[in-house]
Amino acid sequence: MDWTTIISTTVKAAIGVETVWYALAAIGINIHFGYTGLLNFGQSAFLAVAGYGLAVTVTVIGLPFWLGILVGLAAAVLLALLLGIPTLRLRADYLAIVTIAAAEIVRLIFRSVAFKDVFGGSDGRRGFSNGFYELNPYPDGTYGFGWFTFNERVLWVLTVGWILVGLSCLVVYLLMKSPWGRVLKAIREDEDAVRSLGKNVFSYKMQSLILGGVIGSLGGFIYGLAYASVQPDIFGTETTFFAYTIVILGGAARVFGPVAGAMIFWVLLVLVNGVLSGAVESGFIPFMDITQVGPFRFLLVGLGLILLLVYRPQGIFGDKREIAIDAR
């Protein structure tokens, strides 16, 4: 078992591309669920429309990279409006039903053979990231020290990604310390009381849904640019469930909870995968083959999360008072 490789891979996972784009998705979920009490189970759809908005604008329409970014952000806002207008006046569970269905509808549309000329079908879209890498200030080479070494392309993605994570956390911090953020928390606790004070609860919920969706959509950009492609099956319901897991792990309604949760989540997955793979290859686990390692690591990590919810339901850095929502 090569412990050096396992440890280096695990350490790099703490700040890797997957951590970045899941952290952005989870920050959006934290605004919805942690601060406002909105049960949005369709966060993957926001990532998908942003990524495909960029890809289609550049590869199909032939417009510049920056216009693709604007199209992707506009698509995320439009999706929030389409989801929120018919549901946000109803009980919280209606939003959950609509959003999880909408996310699957979006994924199937992007995967559809009928729209293959536009979205690329199950193969997705490629060749839209050149404009991004043309802005790369890092010359060709390897950067970093020790286990933290990356080539110029990955380093550029990580630089932009972590800047977006930092800015998103700053925006969340400032907004939640403002009167606007205090209204969101009040809606989470008891929206009838907020309505009795003359606040437009529907408007605040819509603003929260749009803001969280737009921040989450940044994760779709980072994924697409990092891998220079977008594929529909990447944006399945498991993406949303992972984002919720990250929020709960780090602590809901905590500014840095999603970031810490994303780091811990991916470190655990990579570490367990490396240890199990090494143990199987070394013959320490004779009843398991290498193809079973992937599913089994999720089983072990899931078991750990269940124990965390039993003994510390507020998450590692959370507060029990922040996870009680009014779902009427």
Side-chain angles (χ1 to χ4, degrees), residues 277-291:
S277 298
V280 169
E281 291 173 354
S282 301
F284 296 137
I285 311 179
F287 56 86
M288 183 184 298
D289 60 55
I290 199 69
T291 61

PDB file of all heavy atoms in Angstrom, residues 277-291:
ATOM      1  N   SER A 277      -8.707   0.847  -1.702  1.00  0.00           N
ATOM      2  CA  SER A 277      -8.078   0.370  -2.940  1.00  0.00           C
ATOM      3  C   SER A 277      -6.725  -0.263  -2.646  1.00  0.00           C
ATOM      4  O   SER A 277      -6.389  -1.347  -3.172  1.00  0.00           O
ATOM      5  CB  SER A 277      -7.902   1.524  -3.927  1.00  0.00           C
ATOM      6  OG  SER A 277      -9.144   2.071  -4.300  1.00  0.00           O
ATOM      7  N   GLY A 278      -5.934   0.388  -1.792  1.00  0.00           N
ATOM      8  CA  GLY A 278      -4.641  -0.173  -1.429  1.00  0.00           C
ATOM      9  C   GLY A 278      -4.764  -1.489  -0.688  1.00  0.00           C
ATOM     10  O   GLY A 278      -3.993  -2.429  -0.921  1.00  0.00           O
ATOM     11  N   ALA A 279      -5.756  -1.573   0.204  1.00  0.00           N
ATOM     12  CA  ALA A 279      -5.956  -2.807   0.967  1.00  0.00           C
ATOM     13  C   ALA A 279      -6.394  -3.953   0.065  1.00  0.00           C
ATOM     14  O   ALA A 279      -5.952  -5.102   0.223  1.00  0.00           O
ATOM     15  CB  ALA A 279      -6.983  -2.574   2.070  1.00  0.00           C
ATOM     16  N   VAL A 280      -7.264  -3.650  -0.917  1.00  0.00           N
ATOM     17  CA  VAL A 280      -7.716  -4.690  -1.847  1.00  0.00           C
ATOM     18  C   VAL A 280      -6.561  -5.170  -2.721  1.00  0.00           C
ATOM     19  O   VAL A 280      -6.358  -6.374  -2.921  1.00  0.00           O
ATOM     20  CB  VAL A 280      -8.887  -4.155  -2.706  1.00  0.00           C
ATOM     21  CG1 VAL A 280      -9.191  -5.125  -3.847  1.00  0.00           C
ATOM     22  CG2 VAL A 280     -10.124  -3.941  -1.857  1.00  0.00           C
ATOM     23  N   GLU A 281      -5.786  -4.225  -3.247  1.00  0.00           N
ATOM     24  CA  GLU A 281      -4.664  -4.594  -4.112  1.00  0.00           C
ATOM     25  C   GLU A 281      -3.590  -5.365  -3.354  1.00  0.00           C
ATOM     26  O   GLU A 281      -2.890  -6.200  -3.947  1.00  0.00           O
ATOM     27  CB  GLU A 281      -4.069  -3.333  -4.740  1.00  0.00           C
ATOM     28  CG  GLU A 281      -4.994  -2.666  -5.752  1.00  0.00           C
ATOM     29  CD  GLU A 281      -4.447  -1.340  -6.227  1.00  0.00           C
ATOM     30  OE1 GLU A 281      -3.405  -0.899  -5.667  1.00  0.00           O
ATOM     31  OE2 GLU A 281      -5.049  -0.735  -7.136  1.00  0.00           O
ATOM     32  N   SER A 282      -3.453  -5.083  -2.056  1.00  0.00           N
ATOM     33  CA  SER A 282      -2.455  -5.793  -1.254  1.00  0.00           C
ATOM     34  C   SER A 282      -2.963  -7.123  -0.727  1.00  0.00           C
ATOM     35  O   SER A 282      -2.200  -7.862  -0.078  1.00  0.00           O
ATOM     36  CB  SER A 282      -2.009  -4.907  -0.075  1.00  0.00           C
ATOM     37  OG  SER A 282      -1.467  -3.683  -0.539  1.00  0.00           O
ATOM     38  N   GLY A 283      -4.228  -7.422  -0.957  1.00  0.00           N
ATOM     39  CA  GLY A 283      -4.791  -8.695  -0.521  1.00  0.00           C
ATOM     40  C   GLY A 283      -5.268  -8.718   0.913  1.00  0.00           C
ATOM     41  O   GLY A 283      -5.573  -9.787   1.460  1.00  0.00           O
ATOM     42  N   PHE A 284      -5.347  -7.527   1.566  1.00  0.00           N
ATOM     43  CA  PHE A 284      -5.808  -7.482   2.952  1.00  0.00           C
ATOM     44  C   PHE A 284      -7.323  -7.686   3.071  1.00  0.00           C
ATOM     45  O   PHE A 284      -7.831  -8.024   4.140  1.00  0.00           O
ATOM     46  CB  PHE A 284      -5.425  -6.147   3.597  1.00  0.00           C
ATOM     47  CG  PHE A 284      -3.954  -5.939   3.718  1.00  0.00           C
ATOM     48  CD1 PHE A 284      -3.374  -4.712   3.414  1.00  0.00           C
ATOM     49  CD2 PHE A 284      -3.121  -6.972   4.126  1.00  0.00           C
ATOM     50  CE1 PHE A 284      -2.008  -4.522   3.517  1.00  0.00           C
ATOM     51  CE2 PHE A 284      -1.748  -6.789   4.246  1.00  0.00           C
ATOM     52  CZ  PHE A 284      -1.190  -5.565   3.932  1.00  0.00           C
ATOM     53  N   ILE A 285      -8.044  -7.422   1.964  1.00  0.00           N
ATOM     54  CA  ILE A 285      -9.501  -7.614   1.967  1.00  0.00           C
ATOM     55  C   ILE A 285      -9.820  -8.574   0.831  1.00  0.00           C
ATOM     56  O   ILE A 285     -10.214  -8.160  -0.269  1.00  0.00           O
ATOM     57  CB  ILE A 285     -10.249  -6.279   1.791  1.00  0.00           C
ATOM     58  CG1 ILE A 285      -9.720  -5.214   2.762  1.00  0.00           C
ATOM     59  CG2 ILE A 285     -11.746  -6.469   2.020  1.00  0.00           C
ATOM     60  CD1 ILE A 285     -10.381  -3.861   2.626  1.00  0.00           C
ATOM     61  N   PRO A 286      -9.691  -9.870   1.053  1.00  0.00           N
ATOM     62  CA  PRO A 286      -9.841 -10.843  -0.043  1.00  0.00           C
ATOM     63  C   PRO A 286     -11.264 -10.989  -0.565  1.00  0.00           C
ATOM     64  O   PRO A 286     -11.468 -11.458  -1.685  1.00  0.00           O
ATOM     65  CB  PRO A 286      -9.353 -12.149   0.591  1.00  0.00           C
ATOM     66  CG  PRO A 286      -9.556 -11.953   2.059  1.00  0.00           C
ATOM     67  CD  PRO A 286      -9.309 -10.502   2.321  1.00  0.00           C
ATOM     68  N   PHE A 287     -12.250 -10.597   0.233  1.00  0.00           N
ATOM     69  CA  PHE A 287     -13.644 -10.780  -0.180  1.00  0.00           C
ATOM     70  C   PHE A 287     -14.161  -9.612  -1.020  1.00  0.00           C
ATOM     71  O   PHE A 287     -15.334  -9.582  -1.393  1.00  0.00           O
ATOM     72  CB  PHE A 287     -14.545 -10.943   1.051  1.00  0.00           C
ATOM     73  CG  PHE A 287     -14.443  -9.806   2.039  1.00  0.00           C
ATOM     74  CD1 PHE A 287     -15.206  -8.652   1.900  1.00  0.00           C
ATOM     75  CD2 PHE A 287     -13.571  -9.891   3.119  1.00  0.00           C
ATOM     76  CE1 PHE A 287     -15.110  -7.612   2.798  1.00  0.00           C
ATOM     77  CE2 PHE A 287     -13.469  -8.845   4.029  1.00  0.00           C
ATOM     78  CZ  PHE A 287     -14.237  -7.706   3.865  1.00  0.00           C
ATOM     79  N   MET A 288     -13.308  -8.664  -1.358  1.00  0.00           N
ATOM     80  CA  MET A 288     -13.730  -7.496  -2.130  1.00  0.00           C
ATOM     81  C   MET A 288     -12.786  -7.298  -3.316  1.00  0.00           C
ATOM     82  O   MET A 288     -11.577  -7.522  -3.202  1.00  0.00           O
ATOM     83  CB  MET A 288     -13.709  -6.242  -1.242  1.00  0.00           C
ATOM     84  CG  MET A 288     -14.205  -4.975  -1.924  1.00  0.00           C
ATOM     85  SD  MET A 288     -14.056  -3.504  -0.860  1.00  0.00           S
ATOM     86  CE  MET A 288     -15.134  -3.964   0.483  1.00  0.00           C
ATOM     87  N   ASP A 289     -13.354  -6.911  -4.474  1.00  0.00           N
ATOM     88  CA  ASP A 289     -12.502  -6.557  -5.606  1.00  0.00           C
ATOM     89  C   ASP A 289     -12.518  -5.052  -5.814  1.00  0.00           C
ATOM     90  O   ASP A 289     -13.300  -4.329  -5.198  1.00  0.00           O
ATOM     91  CB  ASP A 289     -12.922  -7.300  -6.881  1.00  0.00           C
ATOM     92  CG  ASP A 289     -14.350  -6.985  -7.293  1.00  0.00           C
ATOM     93  OD1 ASP A 289     -14.687  -5.799  -7.453  1.00  0.00           O
ATOM     94  OD2 ASP A 289     -15.149  -7.942  -7.455  1.00  0.00           O
ATOM     95  N   ILE A 290     -11.670  -4.574  -6.710  1.00  0.00           N
ATOM     96  CA  ILE A 290     -11.457  -3.138  -6.859  1.00  0.00           C
ATOM     97  C   ILE A 290     -12.703  -2.418  -7.347  1.00  0.00           C
ATOM     98  O   ILE A 290     -12.897  -1.232  -7.054  1.00  0.00           O
ATOM     99  CB  ILE A 290     -10.269  -2.893  -7.819  1.00  0.00           C
ATOM    100  CG1 ILE A 290      -9.730  -1.470  -7.645  1.00  0.00           C
ATOM    101  CG2 ILE A 290     -10.677  -3.149  -9.265  1.00  0.00           C
ATOM    102  CD1 ILE A 290      -9.042  -1.237  -6.341  1.00  0.00           C
ATOM    103  N   THR A 291     -13.591  -3.107  -8.075  1.00  0.00           N
ATOM    104  CA  THR A 291     -14.811  -2.467  -8.577  1.00  0.00           C
ATOM    105  C   THR A 291     -15.819  -2.180  -7.468  1.00  0.00           C
ATOM    106  O   THR A 291     -16.739  -1.388  -7.654  1.00  0.00           O
ATOM    107  CB  THR A 291     -15.484  -3.341  -9.645  1.00  0.00           C
ATOM    108  OG1 THR A 291     -15.850  -4.600  -9.077  1.00  0.00           O
ATOM    109  CG2 THR A 291     -14.547  -3.569 -10.828  1.00  0.00           C
TER     110      THR A 291
END
